[in-house]
Amino acid sequence: MSGERIAAFGPLDTFSVGFSGIGTLHIVEEGEVVLRIDGAPQVERAGRGDVILLPRGDAHHISDVGEHAPAVGRAGVSGRDAATPRPARWLCGTFTIGDPQASHLLASLPAVIVLRGARGPALEGLEVARRMILIEMQSPSQGSAVMVARILDLLFIQILRAWAADAGAEPNWLVGALDPQIGPALSAIHRDPGRHWSVEELARACCLSRSAFAARFAERVGKPPAAYLALVRLDAAAELLRDTSLPAGSIGENVGYTSEAAFSRAFKQRYGKPPALWRRDARARRSSRGGET
């Protein structure tokens, strides 16, 4: 993941702006907006100070409150203010997703993460980052594009941290990674996915009993350790297929599979294609991007 660009919207009385296929961050500066996920019933209403992150790049629209003013309530907004909202102003940052591992990991995150009011110790840096972005937008100079991209990176990480730390966060790899009792096991798996990890070994890395570790891992990550290890191995295999010329059988061995047939079946189930065909298509996509101007 890497920050791409930032844009400022508003003030507008009536609007509907669509976004698709790219990770997106919205920071509401003034007024209120309504977010709709395309093809889904979900509607989110956000006001000044709220931060909205769509980490997976789900297609969505940001629009004026309009007819939702009396129907969709929001804490802290009076009936009079809701009926006559101020023209909305908001910042929108976008992110590019660089590799198959990122896209698969992000796919397990919620479509929308909303932080109301962007308050609390975990988000103290948000306001500073917002001001820095505004300065770079209003008075651009050499290196402004790089500055904005790096600030967007930091905002993305900060928002995910705050979401994962919330007691109500859904089980997820990120929730597990930030759990001090489970994080060491995830680090070990990602550091050496080809090792023949046992639940006992991973439990020892976390200083937990086997049963306590297995229960907490499933509770925080959302799947058993063995199932998570299998996904990490296949994502590592995809990276090797894309970036090296190693034979598929050797790659399967490197990530922990004892037979090429078992590796091929598991890879096809994960990625929808056998390793050789996936590699060919990945290289074709890379070649096509390299030829773009």
Side-chain angles (χ1 to χ4, degrees), residues 17-172:
V17 185
F19 304 85
S20 179
I22 191 165
T24 312
L25 165 69
H26 302 287
I27 303 175
V28 183
E29 298 264 272
E30 192 66 64
E32 292 186 279
V33 300
V34 171
L35 177 142
R36 298 176 180 85
I37 300 293
D38 292 8
Q42 184 173 2
V43 175
E44 293 281 356
R45 184 166 164 180
R48 181 176 181 178
D50 290 351
V51 176
I52 308 169
L53 178 66
L54 294 99
R56 307 186 322 206
D58 290 62
H60 64 285
H61 281 75
I62 295 285
S63 61
D64 57 286
V65 174
E67 73 274 13
H68 285 272
V72 181
R74 180 175 173 272
V77 179
S78 69
R80 178 180 178 183
D81 290 338
T84 57
R86 297 177 181 178
R89 290 188 298 108
W90 82 97
L91 298 176
C92 172
T94 55
F95 305 85
T96 56
I97 302 173
D99 64 53
Q101 290 194 58
S103 60
H104 275 293
L105 290 171
L106 292 171
S108 64
L109 293 174
V112 183
I113 294 172
V114 182
L115 303 181
R116 300 292 182 188
R119 298 293 181 263
L123 295 173
E124 288 178 356
L126 257 182
E127 179 62 17
V128 174
R130 185 190 69 84
R131 290 179 181 177
M132 290 179 67
I133 284 178
L134 285 174
I135 290 171
E136 296 299 330
M137 293 177 69
Q138 294 166 357
S139 303
S141 61
Q142 289 183 341
S144 286
V146 176
M147 285 283 290
V148 166
R150 298 293 77 78
I151 295 169
L152 285 172
D153 289 346
L154 294 174
L155 284 170
F156 185 91
I157 294 168
Q158 197 170 21
I159 292 166
L160 286 183
R161 277 179 172 174
W163 169 78
D166 187 87
E170 302 171 10
N172 188 274

Side-chain angles (χ1 to χ4, degrees), residues 182 199-204 207-219 225:
I182 298 299
V199 176
E200 289 80 4
E201 284 181 292
L202 293 171
R204 282 198 298 270
C207 300
L208 293 172
S209 69
R210 185 186 187 283
S211 58
F213 167 76
R216 188 169 183 85
F217 193 101
E219 174 191 345

Side-chain angles (χ1 to χ4, degrees), residues 164 173-185 206 208 216 219-220:
W173 62 270
L174 182 60
V175 174
L178 295 177
D179 186 316
Q181 290 187 287
I182 298 299
C206 298
L208 293 172
R216 188 169 183 85
E219 174 191 345
R220 304 299 284 164

